[in-house]
């Protein structure tokens, strides 16, 4: 039988999140409680009917999803959400009855406490240990990979156009300071439309690295610094830099590494040299890194097939095709290295900085993680004031 959720959650004296589950941090790993036993090994996958994949829009190659359906004789439906808030809400209200869902580590405790995702039997997912970085075999947010497999990894940094921005951003003593000195690029500057990332950027500008803080003074200081950008550069707040930087309608943008690479792969106008773009991210432990995951929805009627999906998505060929030919977000596969991508002509030498390695994860890394409800409210309130100009 699965141990009681509350009894396992209480085993750690760390601050508690949803359901009394300790808040996971890179230096404070958490073993998520099992609310039911995983399925038994050796079962045959279900066939017929529809298999529903719940995901961000345009975040997985539809052709690869269709191929999975063809292999297992099921119809495929991709249902999308716009934000992780919407994902969790729709799963919780059963507005969507998915078989598998994309999910971020900071929402895992909430999903487990709400019994929205099912435990994984690792016997069905051999590709995890065969193909994925060892540093993510038993990640801090889900020790023993009880509920998830990793999907993509990315850093948060700065993307810019070398034909427009004159400063050597990577060579600045504090590269984040470029945003507060960007008067010359007013109208062509962007900040990520993300309540955590935007405020974290302002914290890092001040060399404040406790990016999961719930200290109102630290959060309000970051808000003041963000608001100071408005008269300096009137930043656009969006997540379209994957398109606007390659097209040249944005010159300087707070940026996810996956969006910079996706822009190079898919949005550079024909004939444009990809070296027109550059990307900088802080050194390990000085800037946020993230990954997201796949999990099995608790509503699935095809639990064996859902396990096979988790294995399929970290197949070397599938993961590489999805990365290079579709979304630009790097999967944490041993077979993918920056040196190999440069040698194959997939990226120019100057964009190796947008490719991560297995040592980027682990204790000492910075990841935006689950907050207490009170802390979440503080962050969301501050961000709302920034985007509204209040």
């Amino acid at each position: 039988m699965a141990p009681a959720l509350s009894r396992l959650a209480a085993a750690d004296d760390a601050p508690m999140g949803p359901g009394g589950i300790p808040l996971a941090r890179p230096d404070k790993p958490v073993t998520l409680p099992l609310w039911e036993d995983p399925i038994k090994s050796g079962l045959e996958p279900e066939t017929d009917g529809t298999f529903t994949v719940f995901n961000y829009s345009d975040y997985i190659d539809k052709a690869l999803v269709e191929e999975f359906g063809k292999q297992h004789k099921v119809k495929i439906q991709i249902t999308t959400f716009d934000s992780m808030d919407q994902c969790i809400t729709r799963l919780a209200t059963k507005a969507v009855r998915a078989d598998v869902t994309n999910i971020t580590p900071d929402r895992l405790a909430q999903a487990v406490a709400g019994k929205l995702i099912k435990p994984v039997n690792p016997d069905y997912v051999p590709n995890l240990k065969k193909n994925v970085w060892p540093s993510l075999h038993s990640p801090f947010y889900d020790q023993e990979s009880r509920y998830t497999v990793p999907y993509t990894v990315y850093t948060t940094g700065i993307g810019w156009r070398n034909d427009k921005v004159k400063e050597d951003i990577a060579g600045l003593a504090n590269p984040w300071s470029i945003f507060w000195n960007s008067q010359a690029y007013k109208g062509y500057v962007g900040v990520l439309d993300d309540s955590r990332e935007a405020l974290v950027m302002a914290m890092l500008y001040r060399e404040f690295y406790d990016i999961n803080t719930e200290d109102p003074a630290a959060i309000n200081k970051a808000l003041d610094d963000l608001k100071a950008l408005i008269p300096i550069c009137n930043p656009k707040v969006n997540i379209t830099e994957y398109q606007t930087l390659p097209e040249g309608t944005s010159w300087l943008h707070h940026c996810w590494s996956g969006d910079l690479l996706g822009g190079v792969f898919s949005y550079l106008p024909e004939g444009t040299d990809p070296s027109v773009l550059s990307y900088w991210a802080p050194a390990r432990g000085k800037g946020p890194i993230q990954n997201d995951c796949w999990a099995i929805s608790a509503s699935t009627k095809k639990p064996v097939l859902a396990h096979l999906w988790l294995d399929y998505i970290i197949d070397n060929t599938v993961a590489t095709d999805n990365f290079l030919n579709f979304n630009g977000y790097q999967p944490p596969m041993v077979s993918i290295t920056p040196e190999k991508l440069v040698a194959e002509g997939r990226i120019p030498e100057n964009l190796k900085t947008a490719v991560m390695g297995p040592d980027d994860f682990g204790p000492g890394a910075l990841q935006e993680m689950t907050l207490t409800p009170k802390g979440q409210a503080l962050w969301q309130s501050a961000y709302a004031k920034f985007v509204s100009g209040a």
Side-chain angles (χ1 to χ4, degrees):
M1 294 291 291
L5 186 153
S6 58
R7 176 158 51 86
L8 270 180
D12 195 319
D13 60 0
M16 297 297 172
I21 296 173
L23 296 179
R25 300 288 185 265
D27 58 349
K28 294 179 180 176
V30 167
T31 303
L32 294 166
L34 300 175
W35 62 269
E36 68 172 14
D37 291 321
I39 63 171
K40 296 184 182 301
S41 300
L43 301 176
E44 289 295 320
E46 304 83 1
T47 57
D48 298 326
T50 301
F51 186 82
T52 301
V53 175
F54 196 34
N55 194 22
Y56 281 104
S57 178
D58 297 326
Y59 200 34
I60 191 165
D61 189 344
K62 185 178 179 181
L64 295 173
V65 183
E66 294 286 353
E67 176 59 28
F68 179 80
K70 187 183 301 182
Q71 290 178 13
H72 297 284
K73 299 182 174 58
V74 291
K75 294 179 182 176
I76 290 291
Q77 177 173 314
I78 300 176
T79 301
T80 62
F81 51 79
D82 295 328
S83 67
M84 199 47 61
D85 286 338
Q86 189 180 76
C87 168
I88 295 295
T89 298
R90 296 182 74 186
L91 289 175
T93 59
K94 297 183 172 49
V96 170
R97 294 185 178 275
D99 292 289
V100 290
T101 183
N102 182 245
I103 193 166
T104 52
D106 61 319
R107 295 306 184 95
L108 276 184
Q110 188 178 7
V112 171
K115 301 180 181 178
L116 306 182
I117 56 176
K118 296 175 74 70
V120 172
N121 179 338
D123 289 350
Y124 293 98
V125 195
N127 280 337
L128 178 62
K129 292 192 175 178
K130 179 182 174 186
N131 298 336
V132 171
W133 296 340
S135 53
L136 289 175
H137 289 177
S138 183
F140 74 91
Y141 54 80
D142 183 16
Q143 290 278 279
E144 305 172 11
S145 293
R146 286 182 162 194
Y147 285 91
T148 61
V149 298
Y151 178 45
T152 64
V153 297
Y154 52 98
T155 57
T156 306
I158 303 171
W160 71 93
R161 291 204 47 118
N162 294 309
D163 57 343
K164 301 293 184 182
V165 175
K166 302 307 177 189
E167 291 87 346
D168 174 15
I169 293 177
L172 295 175
N174 179 355
W176 295 114
S177 67
I178 187 66
F179 289 98
W180 282 266
N181 293 284
S182 59
Q183 292 88 345
Y185 314 123
K186 191 170 187 174
Y188 295 91
V189 179
V191 173
L192 287 173
D193 183 10
D194 183 289
S195 61
R196 296 294 298 275
E197 294 280 26
L199 289 160
V200 163
M201 181 182 78
M203 291 177 180
L204 298 178
Y205 166 56
R206 296 292 183 180
E207 300 183 351
F208 180 86
Y209 300 108
D210 182 8
I211 63 173
N212 295 303
T213 184
E214 298 190 6
D215 178 357
I219 296 168
N220 287 332
K221 177 59 181 169
L223 169 61
D224 289 343
D225 281 332
L226 274 185
K227 291 167 71 173
L229 288 177
I230 296 172
I232 295 171
C233 61
N234 191 24
K236 295 175 180 175
V237 183
N238 57 44
I239 53 172
T240 56
E241 74 279 9
Y242 61 89
Q243 186 172 4
T244 58
L245 279 171
E247 291 179 349
T249 53
S250 177
W251 300 348
L252 170 68
H253 210 296
H254 186 207
C255 188
W256 287 309
S257 57
D259 279 352
L260 198 289
L261 291 174
V264 170
F265 297 153
S266 303
Y267 289 95
L268 270 180
E270 188 174 349
T272 303
D273 186 338
S275 64
V276 73
L277 297 175
S278 281
Y279 179 79
W280 170 86
R284 187 179 189 278
K286 298 296 184 183
I289 61 171
Q290 303 292 336
N291 70 289
D292 59 9
C293 311
W294 284 98
I296 299 171
S297 171
S299 62
T300 184
K301 302 297 184 186
K302 296 179 172 58
V304 181
L305 195 55
H307 275 78
L308 298 189
W309 169 267
L310 264 56
D311 200 51
Y312 176 77
I313 208 66
I314 48 176
D315 171 84
N316 274 328
T317 299
V318 171
T320 302
D321 282 353
N322 194 48
F323 169 43
L324 295 179
N325 301 322
F326 190 73
N327 70 8
Y329 273 78
Q330 178 188 354
M333 315 302 284
V334 173
S335 59
I336 295 174
T337 67
E339 292 77 19
K340 185 176 179 182
L341 293 174
V342 171
E344 292 176 348
R346 302 306 301 243
I347 62 172
E349 178 77 20
N350 70 308
L351 289 181
K352 285 170 66 175
T353 51
V355 182
M356 298 183 72
D359 294 337
D360 288 320
F361 286 84
L366 292 187
Q367 285 193 242
E368 295 155 10
M369 285 300 299
T370 312
L371 303 170
T372 66
K374 182 180 177 182
Q376 184 76 13
L378 285 171
W379 281 76
Q380 290 181 336
S381 174
Y383 185 66
K385 290 176 182 175
F386 167 58
V387 294
S388 69

